[in-house]
Amino acid sequence: MTTLLEARKVTKVYGGGLFRRDRTVALEDFSLRIEPEPPSITAIVGESGSGKTTLARLLLGMTMPTSGAILYQGKDLRKLSRREWRAFRRDVQAIFQDPYEVYNPFYKVDHVLELPIRNFGLAHSRRERRAMIEEALHAVGLRPEETLGRYPHQLSGGQRQRIMVARALLLRPRLIIADEPVSMVDASLRATILGSLLKLNQEFGISLIYITHDLTTAYQVSQDIIVLYRGSVVEAGDVEQVVRDPQHPYTRLLVGSIPLPNPDRVWQGERVLGRPAGELKPIGSSYCKFHERCPFAMPMCIEQAPPLFQTDPRRVTACYLYREAPAIEPEELVGVFANGHREQAAPRPEVQREGGAGGAGS
C-alpha cells in the first residue's frame, strides 16, 4: 500500500545567500510516514522555535525543503501535476492556530464552508450544499441555525475554530494537519474541540498530525508523539511511555514544567532539571543542541550529534545517556509507532503529576 504522506530526511534552512550570512536551521533531517490505513493520531510537540510550524508548512506544500523531499503517494510534491495537486489539496487539509485570521470579516461564515464545496464540485444543487454544511456542523457540535448567516465577529473563538474543523471535514480528507488548534481558545472550550478532532479520527477514519506546545493535550488525544528541539527529534514513540516516563532531558523538562494544581508546591519551571553541566563549546557543526541546558552534558555531546537510540520497541531517544541501545536511522523512526497494532486513541485523563492534573506545557 502506497504511503499517503511522507517526509523523507527533510531539512529546511532559512537565510544565507549572497548578502545574508546568517542561516537558521528550522528543521533538520526529519522523517515521518503517514500510512493510509489505519487512521492514526501523531502529536508533534516542542516549545517555540522547535520547528513545528515549519514542519506543518512543509507537509502542506506551502514551502519546499532545502534538502530531502515531501512525498504524496510516493511522488515528490515538487513534481506533482495540476491534477495531482488538486487531489493532494483534498486529501490533506489543515486547521490553523488563529480561528479568526482565516476569515474574511466582510463575508458571513457560510462563505468559508461553501467555498470548498464549489471548488471541488461536491454538490449539484443549493439544497445538497446546504445539507452537507449542516451535517458537518452537527458533526462538530454546532447548531446550523445558530451558526449560519452570522459574521465571524458574532461568534466565539471556539465556534470559529469548530467551523474550521467542519470545513476540513466537508472534503472528507485522509489527513488533517492541525497546527496549535486549541492554543487561542478558552480552556473551557479546548475539550470540545479536541473531542471534535477525535471524532474525525474515530468515526470518519481521518488521520491527524496534531502540532502543539501543550504536552497535556498531546497526551490526551494522540497515539504516538515526536518531541522536537530546535528542529531535531529528541524523543519519539508511544505517547504513554514518552509522557509518563520521559527519557531525554528536554522531554523531562517539558513534563516537569507542567504547573502543579497545588498552591503549596513551588513551580520549578526551567529549574526542574538542575544546573547545566558547565561550559562546553562545540568543536564542529554537529553536536547535541540541548547541551547548553543539560545537566548531563558530556564531551561527546559537543563532538557529534547523538543518533536516535532505540531504548524500547516503541520508543527512541537522541541522547548519549542511552548509548548502549542500538541506533536507528531517522527514516526508520516510523517503525516504533503504533501503525494500527493497538486500538484507536480514546480520550485520556490529563497528565497526573504527584496527585494533580497537569496544565499547559512549556
Side-chain angles (χ1 to χ4, degrees), residues 173-187:
R174 300 164 76 183
L175 171 66
I176 291 177
I177 298 172
D179 186 7
E180 299 277 12
V182 298
S183 66
M184 294 188 68
V185 298
D186 293 341

Side-chain angles (χ1 to χ4, degrees), residues 70-334:
I70 304 294
L71 308 177
Y72 166 64
Q73 295 188 336
K75 191 170 184 179
D76 193 321
L77 291 188
R78 289 170 287 203
K79 299 179 180 178
L80 295 185
S81 66
R82 187 172 181 178
R83 183 176 181 179
E84 289 167 332
W85 263 112
R86 185 175 175 85
F88 170 75
R89 292 300 183 200
R90 182 167 181 177
D91 277 348
V92 182
Q93 281 288 300
I95 300 170
F96 294 109
Q97 178 177 5
D98 191 338
Y100 191 77
E101 200 172 63
V102 295
Y103 290 93
N104 185 328
F106 297 102
Y107 286 102
K108 295 178 180 178
V109 295
D110 308 42
H111 178 75
V112 79
L113 296 168
E114 292 172 349
L115 201 59
I117 297 177
R118 288 174 179 163
N119 288 345
F120 287 92
L122 303 180
H124 301 290
S125 66
R126 181 178 296 180
R127 179 178 296 178
E128 186 179 355
R129 185 166 67 240
R130 176 79 179 198
M132 289 181 64
I133 290 172
E134 290 184 356
E135 181 185 4
L137 289 174
H138 281 301
V140 299
L142 291 174
R143 296 179 181 179
E145 65 274 13
E146 297 177 356
T147 307
L148 299 176
R150 304 176 75 178
Y151 288 94
H153 70 272
Q154 295 176 307
L155 300 172
S156 70
Q159 288 173 312
R160 290 192 293 263
Q161 192 64 296
R162 279 184 284 169
I163 290 173
M164 287 295 100
V165 178
R167 181 186 185 276
L169 177 60
L170 279 170
L171 297 175
R172 292 296 192 270
R174 300 164 76 183
L175 171 66
I176 291 177
I177 298 172
D179 186 7
E180 299 277 12
V182 298
S183 66
M184 294 188 68
V185 298
D186 293 341
S188 60
L189 295 172
R190 290 180 186 176
T192 302
I193 295 172
L194 292 175
S196 297
L197 293 176
L198 277 172
K199 188 173 184 178
L200 297 186
N201 175 255
Q202 297 174 349
E203 296 187 16
F204 296 95
I206 299 171
S207 291
L208 295 166
I209 294 178
Y210 178 69
I211 298 173
T212 183
H213 68 279
D214 188 339
L215 204 62
T216 300
T217 59
Y219 174 79
Q220 287 177 284
V221 302
S222 66
Q223 300 162 333
D224 297 291
I225 189 170
I226 298 173
V227 182
L228 288 178
Y229 180 72
R230 290 176 56 186
S232 296
V233 177
V234 296
E235 190 164 356
D238 175 73
V239 70
E240 193 79 28
Q241 292 186 34
V242 171
V243 176
R244 291 290 184 183
D245 181 27
Q247 291 184 337
H248 195 281
Y250 177 62
T251 314
R252 295 183 202 173
L253 175 62
L254 290 181
V255 174
S257 296
I258 297 173
L260 291 167
N262 184 348
D264 297 326
R265 297 294 302 273
V266 177
W267 180 56
Q268 294 292 313
E270 185 82 9
R271 295 170 294 173
V272 72
L273 274 183
R275 297 181 60 135
E279 290 290 332
L280 289 173
K281 295 185 179 181
I283 59 176
S285 60
S286 179
Y287 54 88
C288 175
K289 297 175 182 178
F290 192 66
H291 76 275
E292 295 174 332
R293 300 166 66 183
C294 182
F296 311 107
M298 301 171 280
M300 66 177 67
C301 300
I302 49 93
E303 296 170 359
Q304 182 71 36
L308 294 172
F309 295 107
Q310 186 162 3
T311 58
D312 185 272
R314 292 293 319 282
R315 192 224 297 259
V316 294
T317 306
C319 181
Y320 283 120
L321 291 174
Y322 306 94
R323 58 189 179 277
E324 299 301 323
I328 67 168
E329 295 297 322
E331 55 268 34
E332 299 177 282
L333 172 63
V334 72

